[in-house]
Amino acid sequence: MTPLRHPALYASHGGIWIADESGTQRIGRGDAIARAGETPVILLNAPLVAQRLGYPELSGLDLLELFAFVHPARFMVPTVKGLAEACALALPTDEAGAAGMLREAAAVLVARLGDAGWAERDGAWNVAATLQRLRWPWAGIVLGSLAKPAEAERGLFAKLPEWEEKAPRPAPRTATVAGDDALARLDDLTGHGAEIREGQQAYAVAASEAFAPKMRRDTPNMVLAEAGTGIGKTLGYLAPASLWAERAGGAVWVSTYTKALQRQLDAETARLYPDPAERAKRVTVRKGRENYLCLLNLEDALQGGFSGRAAVLAQLVARWAAYSRDGDMVGGDLPGWLPTLFRRNGSTALTDRRGECIYAGCPHYRRCFIERSARASVDADIVIANHALVMINAARGREAANRPTRIVFDEGHHVFDAADSTFAAALTGQEAIELRRWVIGPEGTSRGRRRGLSARLADVASYDEAGAAAIAAATVAAQALPSDGWLARIAEGSPYGPVETLLSAVRGLVYARSTAEDAGYGLETEAAELDGPTIEAAAAAAAALDGLLRPLVALGRRLEAVLDDPPDWLDSAARARIEGAIASLGWRRDTVAAWLAMLARVGGPTDPDFVDWLAVSRIEGRDLDIGLHRHWLDPTRPFADAVLKPAHGVLMTSATLTGGGDRSQAEALSGATHLDTPPALFTVKSPFDYATQSEVLIVTDVTRGDMGALANAYARLIAASGGGTLGLFTAIRRLRTVHARIADRLARDGLPLYAQHVDPIDTGTLVDIFRDDPRASLIGTDALRDGVDVPGNSLRTVVMEGIPWPRPTVLHAARRAANGGSAHDDRIVRARLAQAFGRLIRRADDHGTFVILSAAVPSRLLTAFPDGTPVSRVTLDEAVARVASRLPTPAQSVHQGAQ
């Protein structure tokens, strides 16, 4: 293995090093930028290195891109430690050795290209040749190490397997799962002779009740199960769920809120089905269409739709697609760090985010990852989905023939939030322009495969005169919607068309009623006491939207008529395409109808079931979107109607479902209050000894608003903990300020600090890095409070900057008034504190400290923590001393996870 001649550049908050054939030396920032400009240098995560050098134009030989080429669809933590493990190299003992190790890793990866046992050889030559034409920095080195295949390689679209149509699955049989049977299956899953966990056994028996036969219409067998951390609720509900699926011949849908739990559940099902082939048939992961690679979009990108660096990304994604398990680009086996390497993140253009799928009209329909996943879920025993997908499918009537009858909502405390998003309506400029593009198609110089209704349904238009007239009418009516440049026109005071005029009036009213201190970020105001011009603009916009809704409704009827009385040319593929068009049309029709319902209330009496407001979305002083918003005051009402009542059995579970033992809160947030029969409630506490494994420290001498004191507190606590700290913030601005003040200081002590909203790395990868390095710390916002599962020594301290009070929005104010005032706020805060504390102790041998940097923590909120957890109000000095005293061993001096 011969090292490459190129130098390697390594930069952290602790310093910059460069390694070449003469050795390794520490250099300054200016020298590093100069060296990188003179000759291609080997890097690890170029955008991150560029940020640390303060040189955004930095480019070079990024080892992450090379790894994605050599090992597509293979997991790797994108750090020096992760790379060393992937290349079977010794981990450098300090940061100075990291640069030299990068050169070694490059040589190892390049050498694998010539290895006869390299598993991902197929297709590599064609992709590398294309990448050379695109001037990919690694292309020459890669092609020099690849042997040209004797026969032409098949392209991606010829290699992907095709799915086949199958007869519909019969309805599930009536079956019962007795508690004893569930316990026997649980014993199989945990291993015969394993330690008996009484809490888990009781949980499995309680969960079995959700799989009993349904006895009354609109009344599912509903179980609310609160299981403390460490109970083992995943296997607890998989035991009865898998039994029911086998006996009834039906699918159990397990729904989560976070992608992290989806991955965890997918791994846990290996206990149910150890044989990978059987598991692939019995378990399916389902997500929304926007998560999967769209092959038609990829084809467009590969054929010239992308240029420059985006074209390089498309080629690497094509490499990945050939080896991917399911084509999931968000949380699947596509490395989360790959899209972030490309400044103009083109990965979003490779998914179907606009709902433009043409179904059977697509040449890749039979190979489509999305369609394959949907069909696999029909025959699966366990379907791992997410709350949003379950609700959207139910609300929009998609896949009605395969509607799940048994649903497990894990992370059940988030069902309210998911329902709030799913059943809301927003008439905004961005939403309206997307609808315009969907109806009309490309305008002006627009490129890409986007096609309007007339192009997608040309065969229907040529066959059905009324359908053609509806398409034409919809195309004309859509001209009233905002078009490209709408934000600039509104800012200049010259809106075009009735909807832009309404948005301009909304913007003026919001700015007039908002305070100056809000000016940098989102602004909002109640949709009440509106002025005459706004009311008149709403009426004109409603008339325009009504003019669009009518032809959309007519077109939907004509498409259904074509299916009812099919012409000779309507084969199975054309039928599937029209069925898809009907579904997409229904989505847009419902959206416009919701907009009209919202506008009908403008200037009139308020509807007690809804909360309406006007908003301008902003970031750093720049407008992003403008619009009117409507949310249900209680979003569990439509959730209960669409999801709960049609189901036969529902298990809703979480470690914090009752928010401290409040049954009424669990019922209210789950939608159970809208059912005729109350749910069964089961509660089991965590088996952990929180009195000895943890403590809560409330720091009393860090002054609120003093950023220097806040940063100092974080730095001292992280240092005392030797890393392994999760820092939680309620505001991005404060997070960035603290990071800027302490990152270099901590790095000099060998304690790398990563930050959400600062580092150009996706959140999932940040958590992977944090989990992999016990010396690393991670700071972030809400996503980290709920989506981090890091057991063991990598997470031993959690620090919150203050009490996570809810933001005083219009929506929150309405719900607060309807749900007990300050008691409503307290319930929210207790739930958030409980979720944050739940990150700390994940298994029996974990120990840690939970620190709140605020003296103003009311005692009434302390019930958020498990019974027996010691809570003390201390000074920062004492908190630092206590954190240090909890370390099981002296902090290690070897830097383990540089980058």
Side-chain angles (χ1 to χ4, degrees):
M1 184 181 66
T2 304
L4 303 185
R5 61 180 178 81
H6 301 278
L9 177 66
Y10 174 77
S12 76
H13 288 290
I16 305 167
W17 290 265
I18 195 158
D20 55 23
E21 295 172 348
S22 62
T24 301
Q25 60 177 320
R26 185 166 185 162
I27 60 175
R29 185 170 298 175
D31 288 341
I33 294 172
R35 290 287 296 273
E38 293 171 359
T39 183
V41 294
I42 297 170
L43 306 163
L44 183 64
N45 196 332
L48 184 61
V49 176
Q51 178 177 285
R52 290 176 175 173
L53 293 180
Y55 184 62
E57 302 305 315
L58 178 72
S59 62
L61 298 162
D62 195 331
L63 284 165
L64 294 183
E65 293 181 29
L66 178 61
F67 186 89
F69 179 89
V70 177
H71 296 303
R74 185 180 298 190
F75 175 79
M76 184 190 77
V77 179
T79 61
V80 167
K81 180 175 182 284
L83 182 63
E85 291 175 349
C87 295
L89 294 171
L91 182 65
T93 58
D94 55 27
E95 290 193 321
M101 200 283 291
L102 298 185
R103 295 189 74 224
E104 296 178 42
V108 169
L109 291 174
V110 170
R112 288 181 185 174
L113 301 172
D115 188 340
W118 179 36
E120 296 100 334
R121 178 179 302 279
D122 188 28
W125 173 268
N126 280 347
V127 172
T130 302
L131 287 169
Q132 186 175 46
R133 292 193 292 272
L134 294 172
R135 298 183 179 181
W136 184 46
W138 284 108
I141 297 171
V142 167
L143 282 173
S145 302
L146 276 176
K148 187 173 183 178
E151 299 180 359
E153 294 178 323
R154 291 187 303 159
L156 168 67
F157 303 111
K159 289 187 292 188
L160 291 175
E162 295 188 358
W163 50 263
E164 297 179 354
E165 291 283 4
K166 296 181 180 179
R169 188 177 188 176
R173 300 181 294 275
T174 301
T176 300
V177 178
D180 289 345
D181 293 340
L183 291 178
R185 174 57 59 89
L186 179 62
D187 187 49
D188 292 339
L189 295 178
T190 57
H192 300 294
E195 178 185 359
I196 295 177
R197 301 162 71 178
E198 294 181 359
Q200 187 181 46
Q201 290 186 329
Y203 179 92
V205 172
S208 301
E209 296 180 29
F211 299 95
K214 185 176 183 177
M215 297 301 179
R216 293 177 57 192
R217 183 179 181 182
D218 292 341
T219 307
N221 298 298
M222 188 169 186
V223 178
L224 303 180
E226 182 174 73
T229 306
I231 286 297
K233 63 178 181 293
T234 301
L235 295 182
Y237 62 66
L238 284 179
S242 59
L243 275 175
W244 181 87
E246 292 171 10
R247 294 174 179 178
V252 176
W253 283 54
V254 181
S255 179
T256 77
Y257 188 72
T258 62
K259 293 181 175 65
L261 183 56
Q262 274 193 316
R263 290 195 297 268
Q264 180 182 327
L265 281 169
D266 189 24
E268 289 280 10
T269 57
R271 293 175 182 255
L272 271 173
Y273 312 112
D275 178 26
E278 181 186 14
R279 182 163 161 257
K281 293 179 180 179
R282 289 177 174 260
V283 180
T284 297
V285 177
R286 285 290 306 273
K287 297 181 181 179
R289 305 182 68 87
E290 69 279 0
N291 290 275
Y292 295 92
L293 173 67
C294 170
L295 295 176
L296 192 57
N297 282 355
L298 178 63
E299 182 183 45
D300 176 64
L302 297 177
Q303 293 180 350
F306 282 14
S307 60
R309 288 279 293 162
V312 173
L313 172 62
Q315 293 295 329
L316 293 176
V317 169
R319 275 282 287 158
W320 161 78
Y323 295 92
S324 173
R325 169 188 168 187
D326 56 8
D328 180 4
M329 295 187 70
V330 185
D333 52 15
L334 179 76
W337 40 258
L338 180 60
T340 64
L341 302 179
F342 298 84
R343 294 182 181 89
R344 293 184 178 179
N345 192 337
S347 62
T348 55
L350 296 175
T351 61
D352 181 24
R353 291 184 176 272
R354 296 184 291 261
E356 292 187 317
C357 180
I358 56 177
Y359 298 90
C362 174
H364 310 301
Y365 183 62
R366 289 285 179 181
R367 301 180 180 88
C368 176
F369 287 116
I370 305 167
E371 295 297 327
R372 189 188 311 164
S373 174
R375 281 160 177 76
S377 68
V378 173
D379 295 320
D381 285 356
I382 306 294
V383 180
I384 302 171
N386 56 60
H387 298 349
L389 178 65
V390 171
M391 295 180 194
I392 289 170
N393 277 354
R396 295 179 184 165
R398 295 293 306 275
E399 305 175 28
N402 302 307
R403 181 189 293 272
T405 62
R406 300 301 193 285
I407 309 172
V408 177
F409 287 100
D410 205 336
E411 298 181 306
H413 59 284
H414 279 303
V415 162
F416 185 95
D417 295 329
D420 193 27
S421 298
T422 301
F423 298 103
L427 171 51
T428 72
Q430 296 294 349
E431 291 287 330
I433 198 172
E434 284 298 332
L435 178 59
R436 177 191 179 105
R437 291 166 177 167
W438 183 82
V439 174
I440 297 176
E443 297 180 87
T445 59
S446 298
R447 296 180 58 192
R449 72 167 186 87
R450 184 191 298 275
R451 296 192 291 173
L453 279 176
S454 60
R456 290 199 298 273
L457 297 174
D459 50 359
V460 174
S462 64
Y463 166 77
D464 185 83
E465 183 176 348
I471 292 172
T475 302
V476 172
Q479 301 285 342
L481 297 173
S483 59
D484 290 340
W486 69 275
L487 263 176
R489 287 192 294 273
I490 289 177
E492 295 166 358
S494 55
Y496 179 79
V499 178
E500 285 190 20
T501 300
L502 170 62
L503 297 178
S504 179
V506 166
R507 181 179 186 269
L509 203 58
V510 170
Y511 270 93
R513 295 183 178 181
S514 298
T515 58
E517 59 217 19
D518 296 329
Y521 294 91
L523 311 175
E524 62 179 34
T525 187
E526 293 179 83
E529 302 295 332
L530 304 181
D531 59 353
T534 302
I535 295 173
E536 292 173 4
L545 291 173
D546 185 66
L548 175 59
L549 179 61
R550 291 177 184 277
L552 292 181
V553 171
L555 178 58
R557 290 173 178 164
R558 294 314 307 161
L559 293 176
E560 290 171 353
V562 170
L563 294 182
D564 291 340
D565 185 16
D568 294 340
W569 52 265
L570 192 72
D571 56 15
S572 60
R575 173 177 287 275
R577 182 166 52 80
I578 292 178
E579 288 174 345
I582 290 173
S584 296
L585 192 65
W587 170 15
R588 272 72 183 193
R589 187 177 59 226
D590 291 347
T591 297
V592 177
W595 291 350
L596 285 170
M598 191 188 319
L599 293 179
R601 311 299 303 185
V602 172
T606 59
D607 188 327
D609 290 332
F610 296 96
V611 182
D612 297 339
W613 72 94
L614 317 177
V616 177
S617 300
R618 293 168 61 80
I619 184 169
E620 297 180 353
R622 181 170 57 91
D623 288 3
L624 296 179
D625 203 1
I626 305 166
L628 300 88
H629 298 260
R630 162 169 281 195
H631 282 233
W632 283 82
L633 183 64
D634 178 7
T636 65
R637 280 183 55 186
F639 167 70
D641 290 337
V643 180
L644 296 183
K645 291 180 180 179
H648 288 213
V650 176
L651 170 66
M652 198 167 293
T653 187
S654 165
T656 58
L657 199 61
T658 66
D662 187 344
R663 178 189 179 112
S664 62
Q665 178 176 343
E667 292 184 352
L669 295 181
S670 66
T673 53
H674 305 296
L675 301 178
D676 292 337
T677 302
L681 181 65
F682 173 82
T683 303
V684 59
K685 294 183 178 180
S686 171
F688 299 143
D689 182 3
Y690 288 106
T692 58
Q693 289 181 251
S694 65
E695 66 176 330
V696 175
L697 302 178
I698 301 172
V699 176
T700 59
D701 57 350
V702 175
T703 305
R704 179 176 175 82
D706 186 338
M707 293 308 301
L710 182 65
N712 178 63
Y714 267 97
R716 292 185 63 191
L717 289 166
I718 291 172
S721 184
T725 298
L726 177 66
L728 300 174
F729 287 76
T730 57
I732 295 174
R733 179 180 294 175
R734 290 195 291 275
L735 180 154
R736 288 173 171 165
T737 301
V738 168
H739 178 271
R741 293 189 180 206
I742 70 175
D744 291 356
R745 169 181 168 182
L746 291 170
R748 287 192 291 270
D749 294 330
L751 301 174
L753 177 66
Y754 297 89
Q756 190 187 24
H757 307 294
V758 176
D759 292 316
I761 304 174
D762 67 288
T763 300
T765 301
L766 284 172
V767 174
D768 289 336
I769 294 171
F770 178 50
R771 181 186 295 111
D772 194 53
D773 182 3
R775 300 277 289 170
S777 294
L778 174 62
I779 58 178
T781 52
D782 289 355
L784 298 184
R785 185 185 66 224
D786 296 324
V788 175
D789 184 17
V790 181
N793 196 40
S794 287
L795 200 171
R796 45 196 180 270
T797 306
V798 175
V799 182
M800 296 191 75
E801 63 154 326
I803 306 170
W805 295 111
R807 289 181 57 240
T809 62
V810 170
L811 180 60
H812 172 70
R815 288 178 177 159
R816 186 179 190 274
N819 292 285
S822 61
H824 178 68
D825 290 345
D826 289 353
R827 286 192 291 268
I828 293 174
V829 174
R830 279 196 294 267
R832 291 175 177 177
L833 288 173
Q835 282 298 312
F837 182 85
R839 305 308 97 204
L840 188 63
I841 307 297
R842 307 297 294 175
R843 63 190 190 192
D845 58 349
D846 281 353
H847 291 78
T849 309
F850 188 89
V851 183
I852 305 177
L853 298 174
S854 172
V857 180
S859 297
R860 66 180 185 276
L861 300 179
L862 301 182
T863 56
F865 304 115
D867 292 342
T869 305
V871 179
S872 304
R873 296 180 187 269
V874 299
T875 64
L876 178 61
D877 288 343
E878 186 174 352
V880 168
R882 290 204 193 182
V883 167
S885 69
R886 276 196 171 269
L887 291 180
T889 58
Q892 301 297 313
S893 59
V894 177
H895 180 59
Q896 297 186 18
Q899 187 66 10

